[in-house]
Amino acid sequence: QVDLVESGGGSVQSGGSLRLSCVGTNYMFSVSCMAWFRQAPGKEREGVASIGTDASTDYAESVKGRFTISRDNAKNTLNLQMDVLKPEDTAMYYCAAVPIYRCAGRWYNPSYHRYWGRGTQVTVSS
């Protein structure tokens, strides 16, 4: 059974930083499109960043230049470094995965991903 577990969420002030991690078990991290999504109360789940097996990355416009996605296949770990956080970044953040070498252009669609973590809460206060 595939299991993705996120950690690193918390409460920070505007302008602060957080680093999220997602550790996978029973899953071939080395050949997978991985992504971070977030969902704020009353809003749809949205794609934040993706990274392919070849380390190619893509970001939502709202986080470009502030967030950095990375992966460590040897440790089955996906990371999201979040800097210059804003109150609008407040949401539950989820790790997602699909066993495909490269992330397709529609990676930001939640239905593209097969596996999901349970989420970690990020709260940014002004």
Side-chain angles (χ1 to χ4, degrees):
Q1 179 179 337
V2 173
D3 194 21
L4 301 176
V5 180
E6 302 94 337
S7 62
S11 297
V12 296
Q13 290 192 326
S14 183
S17 297
L18 283 173
R19 184 176 178 85
L20 306 183
S21 293
C22 170
V23 178
T25 56
N26 299 319
Y27 185 68
M28 190 179 292
F29 241 74
S30 59
V31 182
S32 178
C33 166
M34 306 293 300
W36 287 98
F37 281 75
R38 66 186 181 187
Q39 188 167 19
K43 294 189 176 181
E44 294 186 353
R45 190 168 296 192
E46 64 170 345
V48 174
S50 70
I51 184 166
T53 306
D54 59 356
S56 57
T57 58
D58 195 15
Y59 296 90
E61 284 296 326
S62 60
V63 306
K64 278 184 179 177
R66 300 189 298 121
F67 290 11
T68 303
I69 190 171
S70 63
R71 63 194 295 162
D72 185 337
N73 292 335
K75 296 182 179 179
N76 275 11
T77 301
L78 176 72
N79 300 302
L80 185 69
Q81 177 66 39
M82 305 187 296
D83 298 316
V84 196
L85 282 161
K86 303 175 181 179
E88 51 264 43
D89 294 318
T90 295
M92 184 72 79
Y93 282 71
Y94 298 90
C95 168
V98 57
I100 294 176
Y101 189 83
R102 283 198 184 89
C103 299
R106 56 188 179 91
W107 67 265
Y108 53 85
N109 187 330
S111 65
Y112 180 74
H113 298 274
R114 183 180 300 179
Y115 303 110
W116 291 85
R118 289 173 284 279
T120 185
Q121 178 67 39
V122 171
T123 302
V124 184
S125 57
S126 57

